[in-house]
Amino acid sequence: MIVIGDAAHAASPTTTQGASMAIEDAVVLAQCLRDVPGQAAALGTYERLRRSRVERVVQSGASGDNPAPSAPAGQCRGNPADSVYTHHIDWDAKIPAADA
């Protein structure tokens, strides 16, 4: 069993990232299961890939560095939380194993 999204890392409601993080988690998990041989290795790779992004989003919410939720998605704001809105996952990119 794996826990993803808000169940694993509850972001502050002011970051408006709960559903987005769950979708990102699901996409990266699917990529890891697709590309990394072995379930244990795929799950380890998933954790390695997601940890820094999730910690940044959660810390952004905890520190109050949140862009206004009404700002258009993708707009550059010059704010430390810009990466919350500009993050991109390339589905076609192949995921290397954690030990690679």
Side-chain angles (χ1 to χ4, degrees):
M1 177 171 74
I2 186 168
V3 180
I4 65 172
D6 279 353
H9 37 259
S12 167
T14 59
T15 63
T16 64
Q17 292 300 298
S20 297
M21 295 300 286
I23 293 167
E24 286 179 24
D25 284 348
V27 170
V28 174
L29 178 59
Q31 287 178 305
C32 290
L33 292 170
R34 174 192 71 192
D35 297 339
V36 178
Q39 184 178 12
L43 295 176
T45 300
Y46 162 79
E47 181 180 358
R48 176 181 55 85
L49 293 173
R50 291 299 294 158
R51 182 171 296 277
S52 65
R53 166 104 175 120
V54 168
E55 287 176 352
R56 266 194 329 272
V57 170
V58 170
Q59 180 58 36
S60 176
S63 68
D65 286 338
N66 302 312
S70 60
Q75 178 180 336
C76 184
R77 293 169 185 79
N79 182 307
D82 283 350
S83 66
V84 168
Y85 289 105
T86 60
H87 185 71
H88 174 76
I89 298 171
D90 181 1
W91 172 254
D92 294 323
K94 297 300 178 198
I95 304 296
D99 57 14

